[in-house]
Amino acid sequence: SIDKISVTNNPAEVGIVDYVLCCVKAWQVPSAARAMKPMVGPETLVIPLQNGIEAPEQLAGILDAKNVLGGLCAIVAFQANPGHIKHSGGNPLIRFGHLDNRPDPRVNALSEIFNHCSGVKSSIPEDIQVAMWQKFMLITPWSGLGAVSRAPVGILLDQPETRDLLTEAIEEVLQLGRTKGIDLPEDSVSKTLATLGDIPPNSTTSMQRDLIAGRPSELDAQNGAVVRLAYEVDLDTPINRFILYSLRSLELRARGALKFNRRSKHR
């Protein structure tokens, strides 16, 4: 346990540290990278835990690339009240490692620290890029279709129509990853569906909840990233493109770039 926790809103007051966990929303990564620069020394490791796939590249564009790991977390949780995060399902897991998968005692040490924490498991995957894309392949179709349908994961899987859409969206992410040289297994789609089936059926994603509540979301970092990255390699992703275009007006409204009423007026 930790008897005393020091908190500040000025990272420059902290000084250089051993590790930085980057836990902000995906669209906040660049500003977080600039803010954390005073804490990052030659031996500091920065671990991004965002949904999406682009956080390591964004961090490396502002910090020294040698400080940046790949990382991901798996948890179903939400903010119940200010300062109160409720864990509602799943076994909390954190995975991270160097993007080139080289061994590093500092990475092993951090994993051991997490594994000594109650309720949190950590592991260092053989290929962090594969692990990150596997998370991307799970969270992105689920988030997008959940936001479009406003249904929890159990309904998405149980209804034949949404299960078909979910399967096709996962297949698109798989093909994108493999096109970009990620060694994703051929059975990734079935394994992703099986993993979704193990999640409590009433679960929703943070992106889904944010869009429904009218808050800015990670749409651009999830389905938006699929469409953007697929365009760069001349790959068609019609399901993710449909999801992105269907939700973009809600995202623009949440960010103040578009105005329209939540409920239409009837004459």
Side-chain angles (χ1 to χ4, degrees):
S1 64
I2 300 174
D3 296 325
K4 183 179 180 181
I5 300 175
S6 297
V7 179
T8 180
N9 61 1
N10 182 8
E13 296 177 349
V14 178
I16 292 174
V17 298
D18 295 325
Y19 307 102
V20 178
L21 300 180
C22 185
C23 304
V24 299
K25 292 286 189 175
W27 75 85
Q28 298 168 322
V29 169
S31 60
R34 291 188 289 270
M36 73 176 69
K37 287 183 76 171
M39 297 192 297
V40 179
E43 298 300 316
T44 303
L45 295 180
V46 179
I47 301 94
L49 298 174
Q50 282 65 43
N51 293 321
I53 205 70
E54 299 167 298
E57 181 180 355
Q58 293 172 336
L59 289 167
I62 296 170
L63 307 171
D64 194 319
K66 69 181 179 63
N67 295 110
V68 179
L69 301 183
L72 62 101
C73 62
I75 186 173
V76 179
F78 62 93
Q79 183 177 1
N81 295 293
H84 177 199
I85 305 300
K86 184 175 182 179
H87 172 218
S88 59
N91 297 315
L93 173 68
I94 293 178
R95 309 187 77 190
F96 47 83
H98 281 288
L99 294 170
D100 62 0
N101 299 307
R102 69 182 183 274
D104 186 337
R106 298 172 299 168
V107 175
N108 296 337
L110 180 59
S111 183
E112 286 300 312
I113 291 171
F114 276 118
N115 284 326
H116 280 91
C117 296
S118 176
V120 179
K121 294 300 180 184
S122 171
S123 65
I124 303 168
E126 291 184 9
D127 190 326
I128 187 61
Q129 300 273 13
V130 169
M132 290 174 61
W133 274 84
Q134 287 172 329
K135 164 71 181 293
F136 189 48
M137 192 164 33
L138 179 142
I139 194 67
T140 296
W142 175 19
S143 294
L145 282 173
V148 169
S149 67
R150 302 196 171 199
V153 66
I155 298 299
L156 295 179
L157 291 169
D158 288 345
Q159 296 300 304
E161 297 85 358
T162 50
R163 187 182 181 93
D164 285 347
L165 288 173
L166 189 62
T167 301
E168 291 177 40
I170 294 169
E171 289 174 344
E172 290 178 1
V173 182
L174 170 63
Q175 293 306 315
L176 174 61
R178 293 181 69 86
T179 299
K180 293 183 70 66
I182 308 300
D183 191 22
L184 291 163
E186 291 288 351
D187 62 352
S188 291
V189 173
S190 61
K191 285 188 174 180
T192 300
L193 290 169
T195 301
L196 286 169
D198 290 335
I199 295 171
N202 63 338
S203 298
T204 57
T205 70
S206 58
M207 189 186 101
Q208 175 181 0
R209 294 190 298 272
D210 285 341
L211 280 166
I212 292 172
R215 297 187 294 262
S217 79
E218 294 181 325
L219 177 64
D220 186 60
Q222 295 191 43
N223 305 100
V226 173
V227 174
R228 184 173 61 254
L229 296 173
Y231 179 81
E232 294 174 359
V233 295
D234 198 26
L235 183 69
D236 192 23
T237 53
I239 304 302
N240 280 279
R241 190 172 66 248
F242 166 77
I243 292 169
L244 173 65
Y245 293 172
S246 296
L247 298 172
R248 178 167 278 165
S249 59
L250 298 179
E251 184 69 29
L252 291 173
R253 183 178 64 184
R255 294 180 182 274
L258 192 64
K259 291 184 179 180
F260 59 93
N261 293 329
R262 287 177 179 270
R263 295 180 180 178
S264 61
K265 294 181 179 180
H266 298 281
R267 293 187 179 184

